[in-house]
Amino acid sequence: MRSIQSRLNVNFIAVTLVLFTLFWVGQSWFLRQMAYDFVATRLNSDAYTLLRAVEMDIGDGWRINEDNTSSVYQQPMSGHYFQVSVDGQWFYSRSLWDGKIPTEEGLAVGKENIRLIQQDDKPTLVYAKTFMKQGREIKVVLAEDISRVEESLSQLGWLLAGLGIIGLVILLALQIFIIRRGLASLTEVKEDITRLKSGDIRQLSSTNVREIEPLVTEINYLVQNMELRLQRSRNAVGNLAHAAKTPLTVIDRYVDTLLESGVDEGKGINEQSQRLRQMIDRELTRARIAGAALPGQRIYIGDELEKLIRTLKAIYREKALVFELDISAKSYFPGERDDLVELMGNLLDNASKWASSQIRIKAHMDDHCLELIVEDDGPGVAADKREQLMNRGERLDESTSGHGLGMSIISEIVRQYQGRFVLGSSAQLGGLEVQVMLPRQVNLQLAE
């Protein structure tokens, strides 16, 4: 998954490379044309100078007065050459040595009468123009080796490329710095969301960034709306439970009347009434289970256990129960407080009912899950009965004896939180051991 910053950086690099390439190509062409124009201007000036050096010698005919030409044309292979044609007769500079300047080859480079050729594998600009002097047609051809110019242009191009890359790196670093400063508010929101999930805060902190403020507002609204919906659902369940008791009570009274009158159908109606009452109780219990924790909630095990233990000691006062606690300070329940009270209440009530005098409670949390262990020194449950107990699940609510009391609630809570629980024998106390494992982060989805 690519981040916003990486996308902006990639796009910045792509756009900058395209613009820099266009600039690099453009400046190379512009500087080369400027250099060619400079050389062409000088060749044009040398052409008129050379034209003045063309003289008529009464005894020898037409000749080139070398005193009127630049000395650079007298040095062999100097890179500056000329050749002049007068009435078909050619005169060559000494710098040409035995060579000639091709006049029909090459590529036009912009200015009139200027062409680019390869002379002895070297780039050479050639100037060719025909003049009239003293009624004679004189063709002047000049050439100049521009290999050093091309070399300088190439060096300049690589220098600009290097400077461009350095500039690109600097600009990229500046952009990263600017983007990070611009996205600092998003980073703060991300950290707040992490704290919200872990239960450190109940809402996201407000922000003064116009683009981010709607996001923070919507998340806070969503959290509040989830809390309201959960509360309304629980209120509705309570109202339904209260409303269902009245008609069931009336039915039970009619059933009692039928039984007193000796009507045999009364027994069947009574069984169905009791079954209906059990089904309602079971479904109401399931409906009260919230499931995954709302953001910003963290229920610590130790705080709630103290209240439950005080209640159980009062209920089972005659047993003088001793509760041994091994609770990690960082252990918290990854869900709603009511669900924790239902879960631990049923676990401890079962243990208190069957324990002789001692109950041990352990709660530890690692990076992955919360582990709860409840042991007692009671008679325990045989291995073959444990499997039966686990398989029966919710139907154990029909029984009022044994460890089956409340097992349907325990099973439903563990299932809603996508955990698991195991029944076994306590190695130290000898009674039943119930181990419950719940993941730290529960997927927010409805368990069916």
Side-chain angles (χ1 to χ4, degrees), residues 11 51 62 73 85 113 127 129 166 249 268 312 317 326 336 349 409 429 441:
N11 292 334
L51 182 62
W62 293 97
Y73 294 106
S85 172
N113 305 320
Y127 174 90
K129 188 174 182 180
I166 295 174
T249 301
L312 290 171
R317 184 178 306 162
D326 182 10
E336 290 291 315
D349 184 64
I409 298 177
L429 301 183
Q441 294 183 351

Side-chain angles (χ1 to χ4, degrees), residues 256-405:
D256 293 339
T257 302
L258 292 176
L259 291 175
E260 292 174 357
S261 303
V263 179
D264 295 336
E265 287 79 0
K267 293 182 179 180
I269 297 174
N270 183 53
E271 291 176 359
Q272 295 300 320
S273 174
Q274 295 300 320
R275 184 178 179 184
L276 178 61
R277 187 182 295 275
Q278 292 171 359
M279 291 175 61
I280 292 175
D281 290 341
R282 183 172 65 246
E283 293 304 320
L284 290 177
T285 299
R286 292 185 61 187
R288 287 196 302 270
I289 299 173
L294 290 175
Q297 295 188 356
R298 179 174 290 187
I299 312 301
Y300 287 95
I301 306 295
D303 298 340
E304 300 301 325
L305 276 181
E306 293 180 2
K307 304 173 186 177
L308 287 173
I309 290 174
R310 285 198 300 267
T311 302
L312 290 171
K313 284 184 176 181
I315 294 174
Y316 298 96
R317 184 178 306 162
E318 70 282 356
K319 289 190 174 184
L321 295 174
V322 176
F323 290 86
E324 180 182 344
L325 302 181
D326 182 10
I327 310 296
S328 172
K330 296 182 178 180
S331 297
Y332 64 87
F333 183 69
E336 290 291 315
R337 177 185 177 278
D338 292 346
D339 294 346
L340 172 63
V341 173
E342 289 278 359
L343 175 64
M344 294 304 300
N346 282 281
L347 286 174
L348 295 181
D349 184 64
N350 278 334
S352 300
K353 182 174 183 179
W354 293 97
S356 298
S357 62
Q358 187 175 5
I359 297 174
R360 179 176 296 168
I361 306 169
K362 297 180 182 178
H364 292 277
M365 174 173 278
D366 56 21
D367 294 336
H368 304 289
C369 70
L370 167 68
E371 182 183 36
L372 297 172
I373 300 177
V374 178
E375 305 173 77
D376 62 66
D377 60 352
V381 178
D384 56 342
K385 297 295 183 181
R386 295 177 206 152
E387 188 68 26
Q388 180 183 0
L389 192 64
M390 296 291 293
N391 290 337
R392 291 179 67 187
E394 297 174 352
R395 289 181 294 171
L396 289 180
D397 272 345
E398 301 169 3
S399 174
T400 58
S401 63
H403 283 278
L405 182 62

Side-chain angles (χ1 to χ4, degrees), residues 55-74:
E55 300 176 348
M56 168 63 72
D57 191 326
I58 299 177
D60 297 329
W62 293 97
R63 67 183 183 89
I64 303 296
N65 185 354
E66 295 183 355
D67 294 336
N68 293 332
T69 62
S70 175
S71 60
V72 74
Y73 294 106
Q74 310 304 320

Side-chain angles (χ1 to χ4, degrees), residues 127-156:
Y127 174 90
K129 188 174 182 180
T130 302
F131 299 90
M132 296 297 296
K133 184 176 181 179
Q134 299 179 6
R136 303 289 183 175
E137 187 177 272
I138 300 176
K139 185 175 183 180
V140 178
V141 181
L142 295 100
E144 182 173 336
D145 179 7
I146 59 170
S147 57
R148 295 183 64 180
V149 174
E150 290 288 350
E151 182 180 352
S152 298
L153 290 174
S154 178
Q155 292 176 354
L156 179 60

Side-chain angles (χ1 to χ4, degrees), residues 404-418:
L405 182 62
M407 278 295 175
S408 64
I409 298 177
I410 297 172
S411 175
E412 187 63 30
I413 292 176
V414 171
R415 189 173 71 89
Q416 288 282 351
Y417 282 87
Q418 303 168 22

